[in-house]
Amino acid sequence: MYDIQFKEESLLPRERLLEVGAERLSNQELLAIFIRTGTKNQPVSAISTNLLTKLPHLSALKDLSIEELQKLSGIGRVKAIEMKAMIELGKTYYFYW
């Protein structure tokens, strides 16, 4: 049997969140957790990094339509819809907070 040992810097975003807390994760890691999975040719970390590099700032994400999100590599219809729902939930939370 193999004994696999992970070092903290090699932890995946979900594991890092459990280990160090959500507030210590980068936007890329938080977005990767939300996106959940990559594609056959692109890991989720690359998809989240690509999305962030296409935006002038993270809050610009709220201005993208579902169609615009779908044009980004690795973001299909379902992920685009989920992202719009997440953004709307965040806006509602922020308004009432």
Side-chain angles (χ1 to χ4, degrees):
M1 278 295 182
Y2 295 101
D3 183 28
I4 300 174
Q5 296 179 0
F6 294 100
K7 296 180 180 175
E8 184 176 338
E9 60 267 12
S10 68
L11 292 177
L12 297 173
R14 288 183 188 96
E15 288 77 14
R16 274 191 33 83
L17 187 140
L18 290 172
E19 187 72 26
V20 302
E23 63 281 350
R24 304 235 357 241
L25 268 59
S26 67
N27 289 336
Q28 185 265 347
E29 290 171 306
L30 292 169
L31 197 52
I33 289 171
F34 182 77
I35 294 172
R36 287 188 334 271
T37 61
T39 65
K40 183 177 180 180
N41 300 321
Q42 206 173 15
V44 68
S45 59
I47 294 170
S48 61
T49 299
N50 179 48
L51 195 149
L52 290 172
T53 59
K54 301 271 187 210
L55 301 173
H57 44 80
L58 184 59
S59 65
L61 189 59
K62 72 179 177 2
D63 300 324
L64 296 178
S65 68
I66 290 173
E67 293 76 20
E68 290 170 321
L69 285 167
Q70 284 181 271
K71 291 178 182 176
L72 298 168
S73 179
I75 305 293
R77 183 171 185 231
V78 171
K79 285 182 184 175
I81 290 169
E82 290 172 343
M83 291 174 81
K84 288 302 284 186
M86 171 195 68
I87 291 164
E88 192 58 35
L89 186 61
K91 287 183 346 188
T92 303
Y93 172 81
Y94 181 77
F95 178 76
Y96 288 107
W97 184 252

